[in-house]
């Protein structure tokens, strides 16, 4: 059974803390993504990576950084957590688009609900 | 980012009713996907449509991709309480790696 696993379901952190969210996939996918999901705003892309050590900014990268040292692992880092970063964070992975448009399904983890107080 | 507009945002219906959810954009997409998300979980893929005009059926769910590949619809026949959830459409742009998501339609089906 294919899997994307996020390290925590729930996290509570204090303002100003450095926060690490970890994501591991076992499908040998090249692409990995971090989204945040907020009521009324849907899923917004923070960062994505299409290969080891490669990263690209998404729509809302401010206040975040990422690390991809190994193909299976993609970490999201909140450099100095703030209350407006309280959200549900979703990690996803997929194959590259290639020639087969069908093969672009994104597999999601179960999400990490982060509360910054 | 190419925007996807979903409507309606919320839908509350009784078991047995039919419904349609719409996903519209001014941009052309390489493919379009529909996901369903249950509370506390990540989205799970229902279907991918690739060809303009394509229609796909998944039991009581019918998905259609617009001829111009800018819009899509999801129709559910005889809704059941188990269909309750958040339905998300997501488009893959002609270039780039990441899916663009609509804001979702929250469906509640009551017995």
């Amino acid at each position: 059974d294919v899997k994307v696993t996020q390290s925590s379901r729930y996290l509570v952190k204090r303002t100003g803390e450095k926060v690490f969210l970890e994501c591991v996939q076992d499908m040998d996918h090249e692409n990995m993504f971090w989204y945040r999901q907020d009521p009324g705003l849907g899923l917004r892309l923070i960062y994505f990576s299409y290969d080891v050590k490669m990263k690209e900014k998404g729509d809302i990268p401010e206040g975040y950084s990422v690390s991809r040292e190994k193909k299976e692992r993609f970490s999201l880092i909140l450099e100095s957590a703030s209350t407006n970063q309280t959200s549900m964070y979703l990690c996803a992975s997929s194959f590259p688009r290639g020639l087969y448009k069908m093969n672009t399904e994104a597999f999601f983890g179960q999400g990490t609900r982060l509360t910054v107080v | 980012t190419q925007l996807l507009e979903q409507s309606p945002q919320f839908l509350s219906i009784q078991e047995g009713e039919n419904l349609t959810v719409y996903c519209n954009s001014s941009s052309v997409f390489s493919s379009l996907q529909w996901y369903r998300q249950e509370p506390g979980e990540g989205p799970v893929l229902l279907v991918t449509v690739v060809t303009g005009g394509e229609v796909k059926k998944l039991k009581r769910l019918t998905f259609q991709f617009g001829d111009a590949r800018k819009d899509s619809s999801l129709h559910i026949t005889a809704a059941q309480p188990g269909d309750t959830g958040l339905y998300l459409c997501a488009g893959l742009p002609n270039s780039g790696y990441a899916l663009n998501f609509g804001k979702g339609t929250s469906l509640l089906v009551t017995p």
Side-chain angles (χ1 to χ4, degrees), chain A residues 18-85:
Chain A
K18 191 168 186 176
V19 181
F20 294 86
L21 302 183
E22 307 285 346
C23 176
V24 177
Q25 52 99 0
D26 65 359
M27 294 165 281
D28 203 34
H29 284 163
E30 281 80 1
N31 297 339
M32 295 190 76
F33 310 89
W34 276 106
Y35 291 88
R36 64 177 282 179
Q37 184 175 28
D38 301 286
L41 297 177
L43 273 76
R44 293 180 292 167
L45 182 66
I46 305 171
Y47 266 98
F48 65 95
S49 169
Y50 53 89
D51 202 350
V52 175
K53 296 192 186 294
M54 306 303 290
K55 59 186 178 184
E56 293 283 342
K57 293 181 180 179
D59 298 318
I60 51 165
E62 297 77 19
Y64 303 94
S65 63
V66 290
S67 172
R68 192 164 180 203
E69 296 297 317
K70 293 185 178 182
K71 190 176 185 180
E72 67 270 18
R73 187 180 296 270
F74 192 35
S75 303
L76 179 69
I77 303 152
L78 285 65
E79 299 291 343
S80 177
S82 64
T83 55
N84 63 12
Q85 292 178 310

Side-chain angles (χ1 to χ4, degrees), chain A residues 94-113:
Chain A
S94 74
F95 286 116
R97 55 193 301 146
L99 296 173
Y100 302 103
K101 297 177 183 179
M102 293 294 293
N103 201 20
T104 56
E105 174 182 0
F107 291 85
F108 283 85
Q110 77 277 24
T112 296
R113 185 163 294 282

Side-chain angles (χ1 to χ4, degrees), chain B residues 51-62:
Chain B
T51 306
E54 184 176 2
V55 177
K56 281 193 173 178
K57 291 193 175 184
L58 188 66
K59 297 184 181 177
R60 294 176 294 100
L61 279 61
T62 302

Side-chain angles (χ1 to χ4, degrees), chain B:
Chain B
T1 300
Q2 296 170 247
L3 296 177
L4 282 162
E5 300 285 341
Q6 271 189 254
S7 62
Q9 189 177 358
F10 299 100
L11 199 51
S12 180
I13 61 172
Q14 291 197 313
E15 184 175 1
E17 290 185 35
N18 301 333
L19 66 115
T20 302
V21 177
Y22 299 94
C23 178
N24 295 304
S25 176
S26 59
S27 303
V28 176
F29 289 97
S30 174
S31 64
L32 200 137
Q33 301 176 3
W34 285 91
Y35 290 80
R36 180 166 167 262
Q37 184 179 20
E38 299 196 18
E41 301 294 331
V44 176
L45 182 73
L46 294 173
V47 77
T48 300
V49 286
V50 176
T51 306
E54 184 176 2
V55 177
K56 281 193 173 178
K57 291 193 175 184
L58 188 66
K59 297 184 181 177
R60 294 176 294 100
L61 279 61
T62 302
F63 304 86
Q64 186 162 5
F65 201 13
D67 291 341
R69 304 202 334 266
K70 294 183 180 181
D71 54 81
S72 181
S73 63
L74 157 61
H75 182 80
I76 301 179
T77 303
Q80 299 178 0
D83 296 326
T84 293
L86 180 68
Y87 290 82
L88 296 157
C89 67
L92 186 67
N94 284 331
S95 62
Y97 299 92
L99 291 166
N100 298 328
F101 280 85
K103 294 182 180 180
T105 295
S106 182
L107 172 65
L108 174 64
V109 182
T110 53

